[in-house]
Amino acid sequence: MKPAYDLILFDLDGTLTDSEPGITSCVKYSLEKMGLPVPSHQVLRKFIGPPLYYGYVKFCGMTPEQAEKASVYYREVYHTTGAFQNTPYPGIMELLEELKSAGATMAVATSKPDPIAYRVLDYFKLSPYFSYIACPNESEHSGEKYVLLESCLKHCGVKAENAVMIGDTHFDIEGAQRAGTHFIGVLYGFGTKEEMEEKGGRVFARNLAELKELLLIPD
């Protein structure tokens, strides 16, 4: 078997790891510390994927100043414990190993800021599988996916049309479209098929077995 693409790009939260417990608990902590109401768990889950600052403004109606303050409180606990209330999806290590053995070049494009993205990938022993990790620094509020994808393409020397982005939310497909890569939506993460289809998503994997079939083809 050989890789179907010259470069395989993975989102982190909701694609490689199930980070829901840590992220939602840290958002809740930050809101409680500010004396603000905590929304439903359904709303808290929306923080998984987009940049943190965006989440506070979009989902909690915060002003820019409030979002800055909430982000500081969030990181107080996230950097110590929240980031590791997290686990790789069952079978993800095996998939990465198979892809690596087949000669795949892989990278990560995540809105999770540096250095926490590196710490998470190192902690779960995922880093060795990736040639490059693209993530914003903590002072950047956007962390737009297309910028991260373009960074991966440039670093790995691969044309966009020969690369694929794998993610679970509309942010991932929007980034893929702007960067010009292919896109595979995974349905075991935190987004929905409907939101990705609305943005033009057409190829989906319900599980890692289906994802493997899309990424490895006969020699």
Side-chain angles (χ1 to χ4, degrees), residues 139-206:
S139 65
E140 295 175 302
H141 295 318
S142 66
E144 290 197 56
K145 276 292 168 75
Y146 83 94
V147 175
L148 301 172
L149 296 182
E150 289 175 347
S151 176
C152 291
L153 293 167
K154 181 178 180 180
H155 179 87
C156 296
V158 174
K159 293 182 179 179
E161 60 265 29
N162 298 324
V164 63
M165 174 63 189
I166 301 166
D168 66 311
T169 71
H170 68 88
F171 296 99
D172 298 311
I173 186 170
E174 288 169 344
Q177 289 173 334
R178 291 191 67 177
T181 71
H182 297 272
F183 177 75
I184 298 173
V186 295
L187 303 182
Y188 55 78
F190 302 112
T192 65
K193 184 178 182 181
E194 290 72 26
E195 74 177 61
M196 290 184 277
E197 283 183 325
E198 187 176 318
K199 298 298 181 179
R202 295 293 179 266
V203 182
F204 299 96
R206 292 174 295 179

